[in-house]
Amino acid sequence: MKVVVAVKRVVDYAVKVRVKPDKSGVETSNVKMSMNPFCEIALEEALRIRENGGASEVVAVSIGPTQCTETLRTALAMGADRAVHVDVGPITVYPLSVAKILRAIVEAEKPGLLILGKQAIDDDCNQTGQMVAGLLKWPQGTFASKVILNKEEQIATVEREVDSGLETICLDLPAIITTDLRLNQPRYATLPNIMKAKSKVIKKLTVEELNVELKSDFEVCQVTEPPVRKAGTIVSTVDELIDKLKNEAHVL
Ligand code: AMP
């Protein structure tokens, strides 16, 4: 069985993002970019499934500009067997377009599992996995905190963290899984593996080759900084606090 993992290149989680002066988005040039943390967890899970004999191959896929190959090199260095880059040039692709591209990849690769992050930390959409599942009509286990694969019965048991506790569901394969934070601790790529990954081939595809039309489903009107929070004040007594709540904040 093959596992396909979708890995997105995003602004590194430690970078303080800056909005572009024309408010069209956030600045990404000269900014450190990395693999989306939830995608690292997705890849780690796929690697563990392969290491436990549940899969024979892990294929990492990234959709975006040329620089996505850097993210795919990281995926190869972590242990992915192959990588596919769908080059869409400098345009921003949104979840429905990504989902349509992933459907085309899945139809070509025929994996038993497609694993994605639960959300990308740049757009926080939390939509792509669910959309691919809808397009493919595959069962989905979202926000997975534990995955157990039964290769013989072709079932994946997925534990999900829900508001009321833990929900356990069984999915018939092929299926979609999206990963939550507590699923695993992703490995670091070792230096020898980083060196080996440099010589691995990254297959390049275009949307035309995949027969996917990139139609924008919506338009981003503007991106703005969140309002600056006013500094708080320290009160010395409870009476002073009550007075301020009553006469300044008018909440009492
Ligand atoms: P989102 O729905 O945008 O929050 O993204 C959820 C997940 O979908 C990510 O963690 C990735 O696994 C996958 N994904 C979204 N966009 C891309 C992309 N451009 N390339 C590869 N995977 C993506």
Side-chain angles (χ1 to χ4, degrees):
M1 185 184 88
K2 202 187 277 182
V3 182
V4 169
V5 185
V7 294
K8 188 174 185 188
R9 177 178 177 267
V10 297
V11 173
D12 188 87
Y13 71 92
V15 168
K16 188 174 182 317
V17 291
R18 278 177 292 119
V19 172
K20 286 184 187 167
D22 66 0
K23 297 186 177 165
S24 60
V26 298
E27 202 58 76
T28 52
S29 41
N30 298 322
V31 169
K32 184 173 183 241
M33 306 292 283
S34 304
M35 188 188 296
N36 179 44
F38 292 106
C39 300
E40 288 183 346
I41 297 173
L43 180 58
E44 176 64 37
E45 197 60 24
L47 297 175
R48 289 185 190 189
I49 289 173
R50 187 194 61 197
E51 285 159 3
N52 291 332
S56 51
E57 194 180 32
V58 173
V59 185
V61 179
S62 195
I63 299 147
T66 316
Q67 296 91 322
C68 283
T69 49
E70 292 160 19
T71 312
L72 289 169
R73 287 271 168 236
T74 307
L76 292 168
M78 281 174 74
D81 299 287
R82 282 196 292 125
V84 177
H85 172 215
V86 182
D87 198 342
V88 296
I91 64 158
T92 306
V93 276
Y94 292 104
L96 189 55
S97 299
V98 174
K100 286 179 182 168
I101 293 170
L102 288 174
R103 170 177 60 179
I105 298 276
V106 163
E107 282 168 355
E109 295 281 349
K110 302 194 176 10
L113 271 179
L114 169 65
I115 312 185
L116 307 92
K118 74 165 179 181
Q119 74 194 71
I121 60 164
D122 53 359
D123 57 21
D124 273 341
C125 276
N126 181 353
Q127 294 172 0
T128 311
Q130 295 88 328
M131 284 178 170
V132 201
L135 291 172
L136 287 167
K137 297 193 170 52
W138 279 13
Q140 56 182 311
T142 52
F143 310 103
S145 57
K146 191 172 174 186
V147 175
I148 299 169
L149 196 74
N150 185 330
K151 214 173 128 191
E152 283 67 46
E153 293 184 24
Q154 289 286 294
I155 286 174
T157 306
V158 175
E159 200 172 87
R160 314 175 59 234
E161 285 178 27
V162 293
D163 278 355
S164 50
L166 290 176
E167 182 186 61
T168 305
I169 56 172
C170 291
L171 311 172
D172 287 331
L173 300 185
I176 310 266
I177 290 174
T178 75
T179 58
D180 214 327
L181 198 62
R182 276 170 283 271
L183 179 59
N184 61 47
Q185 181 70 47
R187 69 194 65 187
Y188 289 105
T190 60
L191 191 58
N193 286 345
I194 293 172
M195 300 313 287
K196 269 192 234 156
K198 285 186 198 292
S199 57
K200 290 190 188 172
V201 179
I202 297 176
K203 185 176 173 187
K204 216 178 235 322
L205 290 173
T206 61
V207 278
E208 289 76 28
E209 283 168 314
L210 292 169
N211 217 0
V212 177
E213 198 193 339
L214 287 190
K215 208 161 62 101
S216 191
D217 329 289
F218 62 87
E219 190 190 341
V220 176
C221 302
Q222 68 169 25
V223 177
T224 53
E225 301 267 0
V228 182
R229 282 180 65 180
K230 286 196 207 128
T233 47
I234 295 175
V235 290
S236 37
T237 62
V238 172
D239 288 343
E240 193 188 341
L241 173 66
I242 291 171
D243 179 64
K244 279 186 184 295
L245 291 174
K246 239 188 217 168
N247 302 316
E248 287 180 25
H250 304 292
V251 291
L252 289 183

